[in-house]
Amino acid sequence: MHLEIGEEKSGNSGNIVDVKILTLKNVKKHFEGLRAVDGVDLTLNKGEILGLIGPNGAGKTTLLNTISGLLMPDDGSIMFKDRDITLLPAFKRAKLGIARTFQIAKPFSLLTAEENVLVGMGCKLHGNISSLFKNCRKKEILQKADEIINLIGLSDSKNQLASSLPIGLLRKLEIGRALATAPSLLLLDEPASGLNNQERNELAELVEKIRKLGISIILIEHTMSFVMNLSDRIVVLHRGNTIAEGTPQEVANDPLVIEVYLGTKGVKYAS
Amino acid sequence: MTFGYILSIATFASIYAILILGLNILTGYTKQVSLGHAAFFAIGAYTQALLITKAGLTFWSALPLTILLSMIIGVVMGLPSLRVSDDFLVLTTIGLNFIVMGITEYFDFFGGAMGIIGITMPTIGGKSIGTTGYFLITLSFLLLTICICYLFSKTWGRLAMEATGEDEDAAQSLGINTSIYKMYAFALSSTFTGLAGVLWAHSIGSVFPRNFSFEMSVLFLSMLVFGGLGTIRGAVFGAFVLYILPEFFRFIENYRMLVYGGMLAMIVILQPNGILGRGGLLDRCILRLVKKKAETQEIS
Ligand SMILES: Nc1ncnc2c1ncn2[C@@H]1O[C@H](COP(=O)(O)OP(=O)(O)OP(=O)(O)O)[C@@H](O)[C@H]1O
Ligand SMILES: [Mg+2]
C-alpha cells in the first residue's frame, strides 16, 4: 500500500482523470418482484467523487451491494478497471481494490480500533494458508496501521474495543478499516448519518483527504449540504432507476428531482 | 484429601483447559457455537485407544496420528457449517455428538457399550511414568497449548476468524473468505480437542461412549462462556473453576445439568462476555477502579 498522507494535489476536482474505473451496464436486482435496482447504467472516473442520492428505498444501498459483491446482480454487467467482476464474490473484489462502509456501522466490536484497521490491512493476505499463522503485529505493520489511525483521527482510542466507541468515531473507524485495504474505489453508504455538525465537518475533511490520495469514491448521503459540497457529479436514483445525473448545481435545479426527492430542500442549493 | 487426589484433579482440569482452548477457537473466535464438542473429544480419545490397544502403538507414536486424524475429521465435520445458518449449526453439532456416541456404542470395533480398556500410561525410556509424571506431561501440553494459542492470537488468522465471527458481510468486504476461515477454525479446534481426548484416555485408562455424552458438551460450552469467549485466560479459568468446583461440592453432582444449564443461561443474559472475557466482569471492574482513582485525583 502507498499512503502518502499530506501529499497535496491542487484543486477540488483537479485530479479527476478521464479513465473509467467502474462501469455498470443495465444492472438489475429484484427481490421477489420488488425492483430494487432496475437497469442502472453508471460510470465512475478515476479520482472522482460521485454522489448517489434518492429517497428512502430508492435502491441506493442495493446498488452499492451489487458493486461490492455482497449481492449478485440478476442482470447486467459490472466492469472494474477493465475487468468483468459481475460474478466475483465480495472478498475477491475487496482484494482487487473495492472497499466500502455500511449504512448501519458494522464494526468488529470485540476487536480494538487498531485491530479493526489491521483486519483491513490484511486484505490481500487473508485466505492464504501461510498467512494464517503469520504475525500481524510486527513493528512495520503497526506503524502503517498508525498512519491510517492518525489520518482518521483515532489515535487516542486505538486500543479501545470498538464496542466502546461513539458513533462518530465508529464511522471514521469504518472508513479507516476500508482505507487499510489500499483500495482504488471506496463506497461510502451514508457515512454522515448519526453525526453532529462538527463531526460531519471533520468527516468532510477526511473525505477530501482520501480523494487526494487518488481514490475514487461513491458517496450515498441524505445530508444535502454534505453530499452537494463534496461531489463532482451526482446521480439521482428513484425506484431503482436513474432519474437525473449531472453536477450538483444541475441536479439541484432539476424539476423532477425536486419533485420526487429534494422538495424545498433543493432550493437552497439551486442558487 | 490425598496428594494423589489433588494430582488427579489437577490433571483433569488441565486436560479440560486444553479442550476449552480448542473450543475457544471455534466458538470464541468464529462464533460458531458447538454444543457437540464431546464428539471431537471422543474422536481423539477413541482413535488413541484403538491405536494403542489394537495397533499396538505407544503413547508417543500414536499421538501424532491421532492429532492428524482429529484435524482431518474437524475439517470434514466443519463442511456442514458452510451450508447451514448459525442456529442450525448448533443443532448440527448436537446431532454430531449423538452420531459419534451412537457409532461408538453400536459397533464392536469401537468396543460397544463395554468401551475399550487397557489404555496404558505412556513410558519414557522404557519406564512407566506414574501419576505425577503423567500430570507433568499433561501440564506441559497445557502450557504448549497456551503458548500456541497466545502466538495465534497475534496472527492474521485470528483477526480474520474474529472478523468472520462478528460480521460476515464486513469481513467479506475486507477480503476475507469467511467460509475458509470457518473451516480453519473447525480444524484447529478439533486438533486441540483431540489432544485433550488423547490425554484423557490415558489418564483414565479406558473409554466408554457415556464419557462423551451431550451433557459433556453442555459442560464444555458452559466452561467457555463462564470464563469468557475469545480469551485464553477466560478459557483456562472457566475450565478450572467449573471442573474443580463440583469436585469440592459433591452435592452439585446430582444437579449438574441443572446447574450448568442454568449458569449458561444466566451468564449469557447477565454477563455475555463472561468473567474474564474482553469487556467482561473483570475488565469492567478494573475500568471502574481506574475511573474512580482518576476522579479522586481530580478532586484532590
Ligand atoms: N435483502 C432484501 N430483501 C428484500 N428486499 C430488500 C432487501 N434489501 C432491500 N430491499 C428493498 O429494496 C428496496 C431498496 O432498498 P435500499 O436499501 O437499496 O434503499 P436505499 O435507497 O438504500 O434506502 P435508504 O435511503 O433508506 O437507505 C427497498 O424497498 C427495500 O425494502
Ligand atoms: Mg440505504
Side-chain angles (χ1 to χ4, degrees), chain A:
Chain A
M1 186 176 88
H2 198 66
L3 244 193
E4 219 99 83
I5 295 160
E7 176 197 15
E8 298 282 320
K9 282 190 187 153
S10 61
N12 196 25
S13 42
N15 52 343
I16 299 180
V17 191
D18 192 17
V19 176
K20 305 259 171 298
I21 185 167
L22 183 74
T23 310
L24 271 64
K25 284 213 179 88
N26 191 33
V27 168
K28 289 186 184 166
K29 184 73 204 177
H30 297 179
F31 297 112
E32 290 161 21
L34 177 85
R35 299 163 172 225
V37 173
D38 202 23
V40 169
D41 294 316
L42 192 87
T43 56
L44 183 69
N45 292 317
K46 198 168 181 303
E48 189 179 27
I49 298 184
L50 176 74
L52 189 58
I53 63 173
N56 291 112
K60 304 180 297 291
T61 299
T62 306
L63 186 64
L64 207 74
N65 284 340
T66 64
I67 299 172
S68 79
L70 289 182
L71 288 175
M72 294 295 155
D74 297 328
D75 196 6
S77 70
I78 304 175
M79 300 285 288
F80 176 64
K81 293 189 195 162
D82 300 327
R83 192 177 157 165
D84 189 340
I85 58 162
T86 314
L87 296 174
L88 221 53
F91 74 92
K92 286 192 182 158
R93 296 189 199 193
K95 288 179 198 287
L96 288 180
I98 300 180
R100 68 168 296 170
T101 66
F102 294 88
Q103 181 167 352
I104 297 162
K106 291 175 180 285
F108 303 126
S109 51
L110 288 175
L111 297 181
T112 63
E114 183 185 54
E115 285 172 327
N116 269 268
V117 170
L118 283 174
V119 174
M121 281 183 62
C123 182
K124 308 228 160 55
L125 296 169
H126 295 312
N128 305 344
I129 198 138
S130 60
S131 69
L132 186 61
F133 298 108
K134 245 189 219 142
N135 187 358
C136 68
R137 306 198 62 90
K138 291 200 185 109
K139 211 171 145 212
E140 62 272 19
I141 298 171
L142 292 182
Q143 262 169 9
K144 253 184 190 170
D146 265 347
E147 274 181 44
I148 294 168
I149 290 165
N150 287 336
L151 178 73
I152 58 174
L154 238 76
S155 316
D156 292 339
S157 357
K158 72 171 184 180
N159 291 322
Q160 277 183 35
L161 293 186
S163 57
S164 69
L165 297 178
I167 183 69
L169 296 186
L170 280 185
R171 293 269 178 221
K172 290 179 182 169
L173 180 60
E174 271 212 337
I175 294 177
R177 191 173 74 175
L179 277 181
T181 66
S184 37
L185 169 61
L186 179 60
L187 311 169
L188 301 172
D189 197 349
E190 301 197 22
S193 84
L195 303 190
N196 61 32
N197 273 334
Q198 194 207 329
E199 289 168 333
R200 201 176 294 153
N201 292 340
E202 285 170 17
L203 184 68
E205 275 173 37
L206 177 58
V207 173
E208 280 294 345
K209 279 187 203 160
I210 295 169
R211 174 224 288 279
K212 284 181 183 139
L213 298 170
I215 298 171
S216 320
I217 297 172
I218 296 182
L219 171 66
I220 298 180
E221 197 41 71
H222 281 295
T223 317
M224 277 308 119
S225 55
F226 187 82
V227 67
M228 292 294 192
N229 287 335
L230 279 170
S231 304
D232 303 307
R233 190 157 56 97
I234 302 268
V235 166
V236 187
L237 218 57
H238 180 51
R239 299 204 177 131
N241 287 298
T242 316
I243 57 161
E245 183 181 343
T247 63
Q249 290 283 315
E250 287 164 3
V251 165
N253 287 315
D254 189 306
L256 183 59
V257 177
I258 293 172
E259 188 192 319
V260 305
Y261 183 48
L262 293 179
T264 50
K265 268 203 277 185
V267 178
K268 267 201 285 185
Y269 305 98
S271 51

Side-chain angles (χ1 to χ4, degrees), chain B residues 258-273:
Chain B
L258 190 67
V259 172
Y260 293 141
M263 201 183 53
L264 193 59
M266 291 265 290
I267 295 261
V268 168
I269 294 165
L270 300 175
Q271 291 290 331
N273 297 323

Side-chain angles (χ1 to χ4, degrees), chain B residues 104-212:
Chain B
T104 53
E105 202 161 354
Y106 293 115
F107 290 93
D108 286 341
F109 179 74
F110 298 104
M114 308 301 292
I116 299 172
I117 55 168
I119 308 160
T120 49
M121 277 281 178
T123 55
I124 288 181
K127 275 185 282 179
S128 185
I129 53 170
T131 45
T132 313
Y134 196 68
F135 166 67
L136 291 175
I137 286 186
T138 308
L139 187 65
S140 314
F141 275 112
L142 173 59
L143 294 177
L144 181 69
T145 305
I146 290 174
C147 278
I148 293 172
C149 287
Y150 174 74
L151 290 175
F152 185 66
S153 75
K154 309 240 172 262
T155 60
W156 295 110
R158 181 213 133 215
L159 280 185
M161 281 183 191
E162 294 227 43
T164 300
E166 289 222 34
D167 195 303
E168 284 199 50
D169 283 352
Q172 294 250 0
S173 79
L174 298 167
I176 295 168
N177 181 351
T178 51
S179 307
I180 289 278
Y181 279 92
K182 288 182 179 181
M183 293 272 294
Y184 287 160
F186 259 99
L188 280 178
S189 181
S190 62
T191 303
F192 289 119
T193 308
L195 170 63
V198 168
L199 295 168
W200 192 86
H202 282 278
S203 67
I204 295 265
S206 55
V207 290
F208 300 99
R210 65 167 180 278
N211 299 138
F212 308 99

